Amino acid sequence: MKTLAKLPVTIVTGFLGSGKTTLLRHMLDNAQGRRIAVIVNEFGELGIDGEILKQCSIGCTEEEANGRVYELANGCLCCTVQEEFFPVMRELVARRGDLDHILIETSGLALPKPLVQAFQWPEIRSACTVDAVITVVDSPAVAAGTFAAFPDQVDAQRKLDPNLDHESPLHELFADQLASADLVILNKSDLISAEDLARVRLEVAEELPPAVKIIEASSGRLPLDVLIGLGAGSEEHIDGRHSHHDHHHEGEDDHDHDAFDSISIDLPQADEALLLDALTQLVVQHGILRVKGFAAIPNKPMRLLIQGVGTRFDKHFDRAWGADEARITRLVLIGQELDAAGLEAQLRAALSV
């Protein structure tokens, strides 16, 4: 009987808004025939990131694309490995003869070290290896000294996590994401000057072992051969990577994320400008951390994909509506103590629907 080689796994981490999903989309679009499974881990129960990634099906059928994307509803992979993560990995291990690679996108707050340590478990270790941990850095944010594009919102998320030191600067969480890295991508490098980029590179390098490579990118556009096939075997040496977060997990089992609300709102077709204005107002008034979803725009044959971090919204038409598909607007709003009925009523009033 042929012995299957270990299935390589790439873990992509980085702050909210750094460009993780864009990087994964690029990797899938350039898979060159590789059979890749994706585990998406984000705040929100509907897995809008999964919706984005399912578009990158590389010519396969919709059923095949859906079968490749596993969406974990809880926002922190590092602390749910015994819940959702393990069954998903067990299923992928059972199918590893049909796969060439696994990609895992962590949430903006998930620390990679405990996740990498999960690959030391015998049932996973015998079948999989961590090819690399890739940390995506928001270069303009580091140059500005904020480390995240919207530091107040990232910090607000962090303060809701009882297992993190709320008094330490955000820099420590940034350093912890770098602590497990086998490859660091200085993303959005085209948005800052050469002098600032050099300064960011030096600052990041101070947090890394000399062997860890640092590369620059714009929108995650890098050759796939640079991103996979690194053979780092991260699970073998992760215990020697020290982070500020280490002591918080010793003897602790509870990790309460109930303080986060993730609500879904379905609306009819909506004017694009009115919708974006209304969402911006909601973010400002209610402290919404993240907006994801898609919209049906009158007289447009294609679906408008929307992603919002703070008051910054990215949007593009991603695909045509299916002939039998209901043309609705579906949004996921993520924040703290959100009033679902009130937010939906405010949106409907703003859109007059």
Side-chain angles (χ1 to χ4, degrees):
M1 181 176 176
K2 182 180 177 181
T3 301
L4 293 174
K6 285 189 178 184
L7 187 59
V9 178
T10 298
I11 297 171
V12 180
T13 188
F15 278 149
L16 176 134
S18 62
K20 301 186 301 296
T21 300
T22 300
L23 175 67
L24 263 70
R25 184 190 299 124
H26 171 76
M27 295 172 75
L28 292 173
D29 281 342
N30 295 276
Q32 299 171 338
R34 294 177 178 87
R35 300 164 299 172
I36 299 176
V38 184
I39 299 176
V40 178
N41 183 232
E42 258 296 2
F43 291 98
E45 296 178 355
L46 297 187
I48 294 296
D49 275 352
E51 280 293 318
I52 297 169
L53 291 168
K54 284 172 188 173
Q55 299 156 31
C56 311
S57 52
I58 323 166
C60 61
T61 67
E62 182 178 352
E63 289 75 15
E64 290 171 333
N66 289 345
R68 285 198 178 119
V69 180
Y70 295 81
E71 299 161 18
L72 305 185
N74 195 305
C76 186
L77 251 179
C78 73
C79 297
T80 59
V81 284
Q82 294 187 40
E83 298 169 16
E84 296 176 82
F85 175 70
F86 185 73
V88 169
M89 284 302 303
R90 186 161 50 195
E91 182 176 346
L92 290 177
V93 165
R95 297 175 53 186
R96 78 182 193 269
D98 301 321
L99 298 171
D100 297 314
H101 208 93
I102 298 174
L103 299 177
I104 300 177
E105 178 193 0
T106 70
S107 79
L109 285 176
L111 297 171
K113 183 173 181 178
L115 174 57
V116 177
Q117 289 172 322
F119 284 84
Q120 298 172 346
W121 298 353
E123 190 169 345
I124 298 180
R125 186 172 190 163
S126 62
C128 300
T129 183
V130 180
D131 184 61
V133 176
I134 298 176
T135 298
V136 183
V137 171
D138 188 323
S139 298
V142 176
T146 60
F147 305 102
F150 299 95
D152 291 343
Q153 294 171 39
V154 172
D155 205 43
Q157 287 187 346
R158 182 178 65 140
K159 285 180 167 58
L160 294 176
D161 186 335
N163 290 309
L164 292 178
D165 179 358
H166 302 159
E167 301 303 320
S168 299
L170 194 59
H171 175 266
E172 287 193 359
L173 184 53
F174 175 70
D176 283 354
Q177 290 188 341
L178 291 173
S180 300
D182 300 298
L183 176 68
V184 175
I185 297 175
L186 303 185
N187 205 22
K188 308 179 187 178
S189 60
D190 56 321
L191 301 182
I192 59 175
S193 68
E195 294 78 10
D196 283 344
L197 186 59
R199 182 164 52 84
V200 169
R201 176 181 283 272
L202 287 174
E203 185 168 352
V204 167
E206 290 177 355
E207 306 286 351
L208 300 171
V212 176
K213 302 297 183 184
I214 303 173
I215 57 178
E216 300 163 10
S218 172
S219 300
R221 292 192 292 269
L222 292 164
L224 196 62
D225 289 341
V226 173
L227 301 170
I228 67 174
L230 277 67
S234 309
E235 71 277 8
E236 301 290 342
H237 55 74
I238 191 64
D239 292 339
R241 301 282 192 99
H242 298 293
S243 72
H244 300 95
H245 193 66
D246 288 343
H247 69 282
H248 294 295
H249 280 276
E250 296 175 2
E252 295 182 2
D253 297 321
D254 296 329
H255 196 162
D256 181 13
H257 287 282
D258 292 341
F260 285 109
D261 293 323
S262 175
I263 64 172
S264 173
I265 298 176
D266 284 357
L267 300 166
Q269 297 186 70
D271 178 82
E272 179 180 343
L274 283 178
L275 178 60
L276 292 174
D277 286 346
L279 289 173
T280 301
Q281 289 300 315
L282 254 62
V283 167
V284 172
Q285 294 172 15
H286 302 282
I288 293 170
L289 299 169
R290 194 83 181 261
V291 177
K292 294 187 177 186
F294 51 84
I297 308 300
N299 303 316
K300 295 292 185 181
M302 300 187 72
R303 190 178 73 166
L304 183 69
L305 194 70
I306 298 172
Q307 295 192 79
V309 180
T311 56
R312 185 191 71 201
F313 286 89
D314 295 323
K315 58 185 176 65
H316 68 274
F317 290 101
D318 67 324
R319 65 168 175 81
W321 292 99
D324 300 324
E325 187 176 8
R327 296 195 178 191
I328 64 171
T329 296
R330 173 165 294 163
L331 302 167
V332 173
L333 309 180
I334 302 158
Q336 182 182 13
E337 299 180 356
L338 299 182
D339 176 3
L343 291 171
E344 180 171 349
Q346 185 174 339
L347 267 179
R348 287 183 174 275
L351 298 172
S352 300
V353 297

